[in-house]
Amino acid sequence: MSRWLLIAVVAFLSACGFDIEDGDYDFRQVALERADCALDPPVPERWVGSLRLRGETVTIDLPEAAFRFARGPRALVGHFQPDQDRNRFLADSNFDILAGIEGRSCLVFTHLQIGATIHGGDSFEGTLQIVDSRQLEAALGCPFACVTTIQFKASKR
């Protein structure tokens, strides 16, 4: 009897898993859907990020240099969407930054969000959205808000 219980528990835990591997991923920009402002530096065509899973929590670390983070790399944290396939996730991060926008140095509140769908254990694709909102202390010439949206594909290194 305990053998069957063990088999049932293992089968249940296997069914709860997500079909994606932890590790470093090569991200490739597929399409620029929206760019309200000229970012300096612009969103790169390619970059490397890492993905980690802990239960239903997904963490994606983005590199400092590729995404103009003056205070080090940023982690986007999120979760898998409650659907039958369990193959979609959302992850985001918020922070203040002095960013190059439209040729000016602007203090902005930045919101990064990745929405993605898993394709097999070693790839996923989706949308990266960057929303920069001008802080009150920013120079008057800085845009009030800038939205940049790109489609990307990511595959395990």
Side-chain angles (χ1 to χ4, degrees):
M1 184 78 162
S2 64
R3 178 178 176 213
W4 292 109
L5 180 61
L6 178 62
I7 291 171
V9 168
V10 168
F12 173 77
L13 292 175
S14 296
C16 291
F18 299 100
D19 189 23
I20 192 74
E21 298 175 14
D22 283 359
D24 290 338
Y25 282 78
D26 289 316
F27 286 76
R28 178 175 54 88
Q29 188 179 139
V30 175
L32 177 63
E33 289 187 349
R34 180 175 175 179
D36 293 349
C37 305
L39 303 181
D40 182 26
V43 177
E45 294 288 324
R46 297 179 179 274
W47 70 92
V48 176
S50 65
L51 179 139
R52 292 187 314 262
L53 291 178
R54 301 295 176 265
E56 292 188 11
T57 301
V58 126
T59 302
I60 297 178
D61 291 313
L62 295 178
E64 176 180 349
F67 288 93
R68 63 194 166 90
F69 305 144
R71 297 183 192 118
R74 295 289 172 185
L76 284 74
V77 179
H79 57 89
F80 281 87
Q81 299 298 295
D83 61 6
Q84 289 183 329
D85 294 332
R86 298 171 59 102
N87 66 345
R88 295 182 304 187
F89 66 85
L90 287 175
D92 63 357
S93 180
N94 301 299
F95 50 90
D96 289 324
I97 190 169
L98 193 58
I101 301 175
E102 298 289 326
R104 294 178 174 86
S105 186
C106 300
L107 180 61
V108 295
F109 175 79
T110 298
H111 177 81
L112 293 177
Q113 183 177 54
I114 286 181
T117 302
I118 296 169
H119 296 289
D122 62 354
S123 67
F124 57 97
E125 65 182 347
T127 302
L128 168 66
Q129 186 173 61
I130 304 168
V131 179
D132 291 314
S133 301
R134 186 181 83 196
Q135 296 288 49
L136 291 175
E137 303 87 356
L140 290 178
C142 292
F144 180 71
C146 297
V147 177
T148 303
T149 306
I150 65 163
Q151 292 292 321
F152 70 86
K153 291 187 177 187
S155 55
K156 194 149 193 299
R157 294 190 104 194

